[in-house]
Structure formats: structure tokens, C-alpha cells
Amino acid sequence: VQLQASGGGLVQAGESLTLSCVASGTFSSINVMKWYRQAPGKQRELVARISKQRRTNYADFVKGRFTISRDNFKNTVYLQMNSLKSEDTAVYYCNADVYFGWGPSSDLWGQGTLVTVSS
């Protein structure tokens, strides 16, 4: 199973960007899906999470600006980012809790997509 993130790029402060992450391969189901980010010189931090039932949680620093959503049929998680700030510049990673039908679920990571916000 692979997670493929896309949608990063260079934008101006105040603009919007939408990230996507699709899970491909053979698996039974995907439970929680998350977006993390890691800015240069900083630790990776949780941005948002969404359950299979679409319950969402956000880090305080993105509340009101970012929206996480998912399409369970497409095995895809999205991150709509509005009112972007220079401090949102980071590599964004998707993460998924994948169940293969037996044993414990597995914690999988995508490769990351770079978001650069110029001020």
C-alpha cells in the first residue's frame, strides 16, 4: 500500500491551496487519516485528523483556515488550506491507519509535498 501526496506548490500569503493524498494497493479499510507538516529545522507536527466517520480535529494554528476531508470511495484525504501564512511553509505529509483484514492496523506515511508561502 502506498500513500501518494500531491498539490503542494508556491503561493502568496493569503492565497489557498488544496492537498490530496490517495492510498493505493490492497487493504481492507482505512481508519484515521491525518496531515502532518514539518518546517525547516522544526519537528513534525500534527495539522489535522479525520476519522472514517469524518469526525475532525485541528491544531489550533490552523483552526478556521484549514479543512480536512476524505472520500472513502476514492481512498483519498484532502486538506483545503485558506488564508495561508508564511509560517505555513513546510513539507506536508499524509498519514493513514490502514487495516489489512488481519492483525493490527499499520501506520503508513506518504512521501510529503512541499508548500511554500511567500509574504
Side-chain angles (χ1 to χ4, degrees):
V1 176
Q2 287 188 327
L3 298 180
Q4 182 69 42
S6 62
L10 172 64
V11 296
Q12 300 282 335
E15 294 184 339
S16 299
L17 207 57
T18 300
L19 306 182
S20 301
C21 176
V22 58
S24 60
T26 302
F27 50 88
S28 179
S29 64
I30 301 176
N31 301 318
V32 178
M33 303 185 83
K34 303 175 185 177
W35 285 99
Y36 286 80
R37 71 184 187 186
Q38 187 167 19
K42 295 188 177 181
Q43 289 189 331
R44 191 172 297 188
E45 57 186 0
L46 178 64
V47 175
R49 66 191 300 273
I50 183 168
S51 71
K52 190 174 183 180
Q53 296 76 26
R54 298 184 174 82
R55 289 189 293 269
T56 60
N57 296 95
Y58 297 91
D60 287 342
F61 53 78
V62 302
K63 280 183 180 177
R65 299 189 298 124
F66 291 11
T67 301
I68 189 171
S69 60
R70 64 189 286 172
D71 184 329
N72 290 334
F73 292 105
K74 295 182 179 179
N75 298 316
T76 301
V77 62
Y78 305 95
L79 186 67
Q80 172 69 41
M81 305 183 292
N82 298 327
S83 303
L84 283 161
K85 306 175 182 179
S86 57
E87 50 263 45
D88 294 319
T89 294
V91 177
Y92 284 72
Y93 298 90
C94 56
N95 170 274
D97 183 39
V98 180
Y99 182 59
F100 292 93
W102 66 89
S105 56
S106 297
D107 190 50
L108 302 182
W109 291 88
Q111 85 288 3
T113 184
L114 176 63
V115 173
T116 304
V117 184
S118 63
S119 57

